[in-house]
Amino acid sequence: MSFPNLRLRRLRKTGKIRELLEEVRLSPKDLICPIFVQENLNSRVQGESMPGMDRLPLRDVVDEVNSIAELKIPAIMVFGMPSRKDDKGTSAFAQDGIVQRAISEIRKNLGNEIAVITDVCLCQYTTAGHCGLVKGDKIDNDSSLETLTKVAVSQAQSGADVVSPSAMMDGQVKAIRQRLDDAGFSDVVIMSHSAKHRSSLYSPFKDMAHSAPKFGDRKTYQLPYTNPKEAMREVETDIAEGVDIVMIKPALPYLDLIAMTREKFNVPISAYSVSGEYALVKAAAMKGWIDEKEVTLEILTAIKRAGADMIVTYFSKSAAKTLNEK
Ligand code: PBG
Ligand code: ZN
């Protein structure tokens, strides 16, 4: 028997053959584009820590979201910066809160042209800057749940398609599902930040969104990056609580956890490529040390290859532009 002449390079011979053989195909449809809306702002402000990302005034939101939709990106994730913070995070669930107003404007002007995902958290809205409410020197789980459910319902009332709890409070998915259903929003999707790690890669975001904690850190609620089994328990718990889409965050240094989730659970997976991941690429590109477009596609494809069904990324617009030109 003659040994077949195995030559894997046959499959890399020409551009068209390589296209035919592509196993993972990144598309603008895989992307979720974050936007930052700031209350009482008159014009766009460039984020110093996140070049290319702006803080938007309410009046610019519809135009910006429209330009995102035109790039064939199916969803945005809205973060709000209120002009007033208090110890209860009141402006996070006010019906005239900045996020609530932004969503209604988007809905009114763009209908269902884009899916609206909202961040459900308290850190931008509380004086302490923590993701939950503070009691004494602790972040109190159950009173935080109560407030988080109010935030989710107020966002659903304004027209959110998907709410995305990111506070890492125990029981947040169950509590929010219950309260949404009671309020008649059983069709609102929950995309939970299931395995959100305590990461130093969030710093540019905290500058951008004014959400840095005033005391302590987030180690009593966010996951330690040393504990993959614990991360899987968080995912498992969210599934048991009725989550629709889980999330692994950050993305690039956590590809193993994305792959592990893909293997263990039959649930849609989102990956959040965070501000620090964006900053690393941007800074190197601004120095001329890497090719920003190419590196971006490589990283996003790798995140998809690991098993993510969708990716929250600050590169959404630029990557979609590149992909649409291909
Ligand atoms: C807060 C929140 C953070 C991010 C998203 N929501 C910061 C934090 O938890 O400290 C970070 C996102 C990013 O870095 O891109 N709930
Ligand atoms: Zn938070």
Side-chain angles (χ1 to χ4, degrees), residues 79 119-126 129-132 148 165-168 196 205 211 218 221-222 249:
F79 292 96
D119 181 59
V120 181
C121 207
L122 304 179
C123 48
Q124 285 107 275
Y125 303 89
T126 53
H130 274 289
C131 300
L148 290 169
S166 66
M168 287 297 284
K196 179 177 180 182
F205 177 98
S211 67
R218 305 209 202 286
Y221 44 104
Q222 297 181 344
K249 178 179 181 174

Side-chain angles (χ1 to χ4, degrees), residues 99-112:
V99 165
Q100 288 76 3
R101 287 166 68 196
I103 311 169
S104 339
E105 285 298 312
I106 295 164
R107 269 275 166 277
K108 201 164 65 193
N109 290 278
L110 303 173
N112 285 325

Side-chain angles (χ1 to χ4, degrees), residues 25-267:
R25 292 198 171 107
L26 187 69
S27 149
K29 289 183 202 166
D30 298 321
L31 308 176
I32 297 168
C33 186
I35 63 165
F36 296 94
V37 190
Q38 185 171 337
E39 197 168 13
N40 293 331
L41 195 66
N42 290 318
S43 57
R44 276 174 182 261
V45 184
Q46 255 251 326
E48 317 80 60
S49 55
M50 299 179 72
M53 290 298 297
D54 295 339
R55 301 191 183 93
L56 304 172
L58 186 60
R59 74 157 91 95
D60 282 12
V61 166
V62 170
D63 274 355
E64 175 63 25
V65 175
N66 189 46
S67 74
I68 295 167
E70 281 175 348
L71 290 166
K72 303 185 192 140
I73 296 166
I76 52 166
M77 182 175 276
V78 187
F79 292 96
M81 285 93 95
S83 36
R84 262 186 304 146
K85 302 178 190 243
D86 60 26
D87 56 0
K88 297 204 158 52
T90 314
S91 48
F93 54 86
Q95 218 47 67
D96 62 351
I98 183 62
V99 165
Q100 288 76 3
R101 287 166 68 196
I103 311 169
S104 339
E105 285 298 312
I106 295 164
R107 269 275 166 277
K108 201 164 65 193
N109 290 278
L110 303 173
N112 285 325
E113 285 306 300
I114 195 152
V116 178
I117 307 175
T118 49
D119 181 59
V120 181
C121 207
L122 304 179
C123 48
Q124 285 107 275
Y125 303 89
T126 53
T127 12
H130 274 289
C131 300
L133 299 176
V134 175
K135 258 194 196 164
D137 58 356
K138 298 215 163 62
I139 314 307
D140 186 64
N141 199 84
D142 295 4
S143 59
S144 302
L145 287 185
E146 181 62 27
T147 305
L148 290 169
T149 62
K150 287 189 204 161
V151 176
V153 168
S154 73
Q155 294 170 342
Q157 275 163 351
S158 312
D161 298 293
V162 182
V163 294
S164 188
S166 66
M168 287 297 284
M169 294 295 121
D170 285 329
Q172 61 183 9
V173 171
K174 183 176 176 215
I176 290 172
R177 183 73 275 157
Q178 184 82 57
R179 209 53 79 76
L180 283 174
D181 289 356
D182 292 348
F185 296 109
S186 55
D187 59 349
V188 169
V189 172
I190 300 180
M191 170 196 277
S192 182
H193 284 54
S194 308
K196 179 177 180 182
H197 295 79
R198 217 295 307 167
S199 169
S200 299
L201 290 164
Y202 301 155
S203 317
F205 177 98
K206 284 188 261 200
D207 290 341
M208 183 82 173
H210 314 134
S211 67
K214 293 290 172 296
F215 68 90
D217 52 42
R218 305 209 202 286
K219 285 183 180 159
T220 67
Y221 44 104
Q222 297 181 344
L223 275 165
Y225 56 74
T226 49
N227 295 8
K229 291 198 285 285
E230 193 176 338
M232 290 306 105
R233 284 188 79 196
E234 285 283 0
V235 170
E236 196 176 353
T237 307
D238 277 4
I239 294 172
E241 291 180 20
V243 79
D244 299 291
I245 303 168
V246 299
M247 182 191 287
I248 307 295
K249 178 179 181 174
L252 191 55
Y254 296 72
L255 295 186
D256 56 331
L257 300 183
I258 297 172
M260 221 180 276
T261 307
R262 177 76 297 151
E263 202 161 287
K264 283 183 195 285
F265 306 103
N266 194 12
V267 64

